[in-house]
Amino acid sequence: MEGSGRDEDARVRLPQLRLDELLEELQSRIDAARGTRDRVHSLLEAVLSVGRELELEQVLHSIVEAAAAVVEAQYAALGVIGPDGKRLSAFHTVGVSEEEIARIGHYPEGHGILGELIRHPEPLRVAKLSDHPASYGFPPHHPPMNTFLGVPIRVRDQVFGNLYLTEKRGGAQFDEEDESVLSTLAVAAGVAIDNARLYEESRQRERWLRANAEITHALMSGSERGTALLLIAERAREITGAALAVVAVPMAGTDSLTVELAIGQGADSHRGLVVPVDGSLLGRAFTAGAPVTSPDIAGDERVFPGPQRLDELGPAVAVPIGSGDSVRGIALLARSADRNPFTEEEIEPLQGFAAQAAVAMELAERRQDAEQIAVLEERDRIARDLHDLAIQRLFATGMTLQSAGRFIEHKEASERVLRAVDDLDETIKIIRSTIFGLRSRAAAGGGATGLRARVVRVVGEAAPLLGFPPSVRMEGLIDTDVPKETADHLVAVLSESLTNIARHARADRADVVLQTDGREVRLTVADNGVGIPSGGRRSGLRNMAERAQQLGGTFDVTGSAGGGTTLLWRVPVGER
């Protein structure tokens, strides 16, 4: 009986054990299902979190945070691949403090195992980083890392960057499920990045449209050429994030460009610079009529001659103002050294903006022509009025005084009247000379060939070479009393004088004075530079002296104790 009781108890316990096993298995499957549900829930939350943002930088940061959360990694990073497709241009991290980043130093560029994922954009799991053949080691102060999981992020079939995860919490290894979850997140991340890019492009287009509208309004309201160009340079610099904006235009009669306008970092050292067309970055864009880029303008020998002025600047682009044979200048934009190069998407609206600059210059020139025509018409009216009214009245007054002088018996009174008549005759001659000057300038198209205009043009062209505008003062009937041959020699002497100051004087001031009293013309050019060194080359001064002697005049050079040089060139004027 006892034996049969024990058998019966055994039969009762056996189903109970099987039931416990089944319940345990069921519980484990429920736990696994709950874990999968929680993980799917976490993945969905991560996908939603990266899709909420529209700013690209914030999207990238959200992706890194979400990646670390879904696979329970202590450290996470997103490396953005640069335009060359070989290096990382940006690096976003989670799990490393700012102090640790500062101690580590420069962000990685894509060597070692990070580069392995760039070269082979496929998911990569490593149990121990140091055992991988591509392991590059860690820099000093870098936290220890062993387990590794990396997946690429693709945006429209192009690899945008890579997610790097290390040190799974709890000391566990990354598994296939982690890889699958992270790959799914990477797909969502690619969509979020693409949306952020599209949003940024739309905002950028909106900025360009607003800037175009602002410039169009400025042009239509009659803004000066310089004001319009300044506005164009400012808006282009703001929208592209450039540190320096430069506008260079061709110098008349030379194969050089001069920097007319510069704003931003180091702008003062660029204004007035003269850049040769041949062999320069600006010159290449000018002759080709197409944008020219530089990955590192600070080290580019094609940029500016002389001492380096572009420290701490990096990527740059030179865009022609105008197109084809009507290129009017060059706009140069340079970013700081830590910024990305200019892309085709950025250069395209820049070209449109440069076209606005060409319109600004064209409108300004047309407006100047219209103003010049108005001036010429006014000169012609003044000349007619002087001839028809003033001269006739003065002549009549002179005749009256001359007739009245016969009836004056007092000798001194009679002499005074005769002197008044002579003064009126001299005044009539001056007015006739003025009329001749007004009409000759009108016939010549606004004084383009007059000595006064030629002097102003020479001084203006010398300003970029000097680095400052010289002062100019003119007295007398410059255009009428100075013969053409004398004027040609004078202009050559002035040009040579200003060139010598720019090359040798190291001056920051120059004064040009041109005077004539009808008997001689005097040109004085003075500067506050270092003076003429003893034993220096004198060929330029000798040429000036020979020109004066050829015209029967003199040439003198004097210096002052405080520094500086004064050149006085004087020759007689009259019919030759």
Side-chain angles (χ1 to χ4, degrees):
M1 293 294 292
E2 290 180 1
S4 62
R6 285 194 298 270
D7 292 339
E8 186 175 350
D9 290 340
R11 285 194 298 273
V12 172
R13 285 196 299 272
L14 184 59
Q16 184 67 39
L17 290 172
R18 289 179 178 175
L19 181 59
D20 290 342
E21 291 174 359
L22 289 173
L23 289 173
E24 289 176 1
E25 183 178 353
L26 179 60
Q27 184 64 44
S28 65
R29 292 190 178 186
I30 291 174
D31 291 341
R34 185 180 291 114
T36 302
R37 181 203 63 186
D38 292 342
R39 194 147 206 190
V40 170
H41 181 73
S42 298
L43 178 60
L44 290 175
E45 282 292 329
V47 170
L48 290 174
S49 69
V50 301
R52 290 190 189 105
E53 301 293 340
L54 286 175
E55 296 286 348
L56 182 58
E57 291 298 312
Q58 189 58 45
V59 167
L60 298 180
H61 187 70
S62 298
I63 291 170
V64 180
E65 289 183 332
V70 294
V71 297
E72 299 178 342
Q74 184 176 353
Y75 304 107
L78 192 159
V80 180
I81 300 176
D84 60 0
K86 299 177 181 179
R87 306 171 69 183
L88 299 177
S89 61
F91 210 70
H92 303 264
T93 62
V94 165
V96 184
S97 66
E98 294 294 332
E99 292 78 10
E100 289 176 312
I101 292 173
R103 287 197 301 270
I104 293 170
H106 195 277
Y107 279 119
E109 296 182 351
H111 302 293
I113 199 165
L114 302 187
E116 182 72 14
L117 207 58
I118 296 174
R119 292 185 293 272
H120 306 287
E122 299 293 338
L124 176 64
R125 272 188 296 133
V126 179
K128 191 172 183 179
L129 279 171
S130 58
D131 293 341
H132 194 278
S135 178
Y136 199 79
F138 296 109
H141 309 295
H142 196 285
M145 296 179 180
N146 290 301
T147 56
F148 174 86
L149 173 60
V151 296
I153 297 176
R154 287 182 169 84
V155 177
R156 297 188 182 185
D157 298 327
Q158 290 187 346
V159 179
F160 172 83
N162 297 307
L163 278 171
Y164 306 110
L165 290 301
T166 61
E167 295 301 293
K168 187 174 176 69
R169 297 187 185 277
Q173 295 286 333
F174 293 110
D175 55 23
E176 290 183 5
E177 188 174 346
D178 291 323
E179 182 181 318
S180 176
V181 168
L182 196 63
S183 296
T184 304
L185 179 63
V187 174
V191 175
I193 291 170
D194 193 28
N195 289 338
R197 279 178 161 180
L198 292 174
Y199 175 70
E200 179 60 28
E201 288 176 8
S202 67
R203 290 185 61 191
Q204 199 78 334
R205 282 195 296 270
E206 183 182 353
R207 293 190 193 102
W208 285 118
L209 288 173
R210 280 203 305 267
N212 277 320
E214 184 181 4
I215 292 165
T216 301
H217 179 268
L219 293 172
M220 299 304 294
S221 61
S223 295
E224 294 294 329
R225 172 178 177 271
T227 303
L229 286 180
L230 178 62
L231 182 60
I232 288 169
E234 286 178 341
R235 294 298 174 265
R237 186 171 72 95
E238 291 170 3
I239 295 174
T240 61
L244 172 69
V246 164
V247 175
V249 296
M251 290 183 66
T254 69
D255 291 329
S256 300
L257 301 167
T258 180
V259 175
E260 179 175 316
L261 181 150
I263 57 172
Q265 182 176 322
D268 291 340
S269 64
H270 291 87
R271 294 190 190 101
L273 281 178
V274 176
V275 183
V277 170
D278 186 26
S280 68
L281 183 75
L282 297 178
R284 181 172 296 183
F286 181 77
T287 54
V292 177
T293 59
S294 174
D296 180 17
I297 196 172
D300 197 325
E301 297 179 352
R302 303 172 299 168
V303 186
F304 295 126
Q308 184 55 265
R309 301 174 174 86
L310 299 164
D311 294 338
E312 300 181 1
L313 292 177
V317 60
V319 181
I321 299 174
S323 59
D325 296 332
S326 59
V327 176
R328 297 173 174 269
I330 299 295
L332 174 73
L333 294 168
R335 287 173 171 160
S336 55
D338 58 347
R339 297 292 302 278
N340 291 329
F342 287 88
T343 63
E344 290 295 329
E345 291 75 14
E346 293 175 304
I347 294 175
E348 183 178 352
L350 262 179
Q351 289 181 276
F353 223 53
Q356 283 277 27
V359 172
M361 299 171 83
E362 180 75 18
L363 286 177
E365 290 175 4
R366 294 294 176 265
R367 191 178 297 115
Q368 186 178 11
D369 290 344
E371 292 172 353
Q372 188 65 38
I373 290 173
V375 169
L376 295 177
E377 291 176 348
E378 181 65 11
R379 283 176 176 172
D380 191 51
R381 184 191 66 77
I382 293 171
R384 286 197 308 271
D385 289 347
L386 287 174
H387 183 272
D388 297 340
L389 301 176
I391 288 182
Q392 299 303 325
R393 286 198 172 197
L394 289 173
F395 185 76
T397 302
M399 293 291 291
T400 301
L401 289 174
Q402 193 172 18
S403 299
R406 302 193 192 102
F407 302 101
I408 299 175
E409 297 181 357
H410 195 282
K411 184 177 180 180
E412 290 185 4
S414 178
E415 290 177 352
R416 288 186 180 183
V417 170
L418 292 176
R419 282 200 301 270
V421 172
D422 291 338
D423 289 340
L424 286 175
D425 288 341
E426 190 65 29
T427 302
I428 290 172
K429 290 179 182 179
I430 293 173
I431 293 176
R432 281 176 172 164
S433 176
T434 303
I435 293 171
F436 176 77
L438 288 171
R439 287 179 170 169
S440 64
R441 285 196 293 272
T449 59
L451 178 57
R452 187 182 297 269
R454 293 173 68 186
V455 168
V456 171
R457 185 165 60 247
V458 168
V459 172
E461 291 173 353
L465 291 170
L466 294 165
F468 58 87
S471 68
V472 182
R473 182 165 57 91
M474 288 182 271
E475 298 176 2
L477 301 176
I478 305 297
D479 288 335
T480 56
D481 284 348
V482 181
K484 184 179 184 305
E485 181 185 359
T486 303
D488 292 341
H489 284 287
L490 188 147
V491 169
V493 169
L494 175 60
S495 179
E496 180 73 19
S497 301
L498 295 176
T499 301
N500 286 342
I501 294 173
R503 289 177 177 173
H504 310 298
R506 299 201 294 274
D508 58 17
R509 179 179 175 180
D511 302 306
V512 176
V513 180
L514 180 59
Q515 301 166 300
T516 182
D517 57 4
R519 292 184 293 273
E520 70 173 8
V521 61
R522 296 178 297 278
L523 173 66
T524 306
V525 182
D527 68 76
N528 65 345
V530 298
I532 300 176
S534 59
R537 294 181 61 185
R538 303 273 176 153
S539 58
L541 299 178
R542 186 166 55 251
N543 290 338
M544 298 181 203
E546 289 175 356
R547 288 180 183 276
Q549 292 170 5
Q550 182 180 341
L551 298 172
T554 61
F555 175 68
D556 298 308
V557 180
T558 58
S560 62
T565 305
T566 299
L567 280 63
L568 176 59
W569 192 85
R570 54 195 299 174
V571 298
V573 294
E575 295 296 332
R576 295 190 59 81

